[in-house]
Amino acid sequence: MLKAALAIARKDLTLLVGRGTGLVQSFLLGLLLIFIFRLSKGIGEVVSAQAAAAIFWVATLFCQVLVFTSLYALEESNGQRQALLLAPAPVQSVWLGKGLAGLFLLLFSQLIFLPAVIVFLDQSLEGGIAAGIAAIILTDLGLAALGSLLGLLAQGQAARASLLSIIVFPLLLPLLFAAIRPVAAFFDAPLSADAADWLKIILAFDPLFLAAGLLLFRLVYNSQ
């Protein structure tokens, strides 16, 4: 399963990076959101570290939606889903492979968003860097796990697929709320006790999202 997933991830990254269009749109949308929040502040107004962290995650969330939609559109646009179903590997390999590809792209996008937040929102790296990096990686793991499932649902044409997307999407919000405070420690002060508690919440959500993607993917992929 892992070997097949790595092959799918490599194939998707090659195709998506080669085309470039979907990735550029994802990155530009995130940067545009950060810049718009900067414009919403008056001259001399200071953006708090927590607000900057929230903006960082909003940009990441919009990027996630576009990235995973693009990853699943690679097969849908060419009618090649059946080829993946006939491959001699568990169907969950598709979920895992696209999740790995999406995780890589999310981390890459954040290498762009984080400096943009620092520059446009007048932030500086103060402390809590190790914990902030841990929060970003752990949160991205959950976003990729559920995002890989959401990306598939976005391809469905039936009304039930759209409804299921609306139901599943809000599940990401608690994870993002939990990630705000640890990332705010990047720009404010060393990680406080309450921020450490938020990290524990992230660790609790990740296994749930991984299990949900692993168990539900076969049902959704075969039924679409």
Side-chain angles (χ1 to χ4, degrees):
M1 178 177 171
L2 182 58
K3 184 178 180 180
L6 290 174
I8 291 172
R10 183 168 57 251
K11 180 265 296 181
D12 285 351
L13 287 173
T14 301
L15 290 175
L16 208 57
V17 172
R19 294 180 180 181
T21 305
L23 290 182
V24 172
Q25 291 174 344
S26 303
F27 299 156
L28 287 180
L29 178 59
L31 290 173
L32 181 61
L33 286 171
I34 295 170
F35 186 64
I36 288 175
F37 277 108
R38 171 66 271 181
L39 293 179
S40 68
K41 292 292 183 180
I43 298 176
E45 288 188 43
V46 178
V47 179
S48 68
Q50 192 154 335
I55 294 167
F56 170 81
W57 285 116
V58 170
T60 299
L61 182 59
F62 276 90
C63 181
Q64 179 231 27
V65 173
L66 292 178
V67 162
F68 281 101
T69 300
S70 299
L71 285 171
Y72 277 96
L74 292 174
E75 284 81 28
E76 300 298 325
S77 60
N78 298 318
Q80 295 179 345
R81 181 188 295 196
Q82 194 64 29
L84 290 178
L85 287 172
L86 295 175
V91 71
Q92 288 88 346
S93 301
V94 179
W95 166 77
L96 181 58
K98 292 186 180 294
L100 290 173
L103 177 61
F104 175 83
L105 293 174
L106 281 179
L107 289 170
F108 182 79
S109 70
Q110 288 168 333
L111 290 177
I112 300 173
F113 297 157
L114 189 59
V117 167
I118 293 173
V119 172
F120 291 135
L121 304 182
D122 298 323
Q123 302 296 311
S124 59
L125 296 179
E126 296 290 344
I129 294 178
I133 292 175
I136 289 174
I137 294 174
L138 290 173
T139 303
D140 284 354
L141 183 60
L143 290 177
L146 200 56
S148 189
L149 184 61
L150 288 172
L152 172 62
L153 294 174
Q155 307 302 320
Q157 300 300 317
R160 61 180 178 83
S162 299
L163 178 61
L164 194 55
S165 298
I166 294 173
I167 294 172
V168 176
F169 187 77
L171 295 176
L172 292 172
L173 296 182
L175 182 66
L176 294 177
F177 288 149
I180 289 174
R181 185 62 189 94
V183 172
F186 262 136
F187 315 125
D188 188 5
L191 195 67
S192 60
D194 68 314
D197 292 336
W198 287 116
L199 274 177
K200 295 176 183 177
I201 294 177
I202 297 173
L203 285 171
F205 271 101
D206 280 352
L208 292 177
F209 290 161
L210 289 168
L214 192 63
L215 294 175
L216 296 177
F217 186 81
R218 174 185 288 274
L219 299 175
V220 179
Y221 201 68
N222 289 331
S223 63
Q224 292 236 42

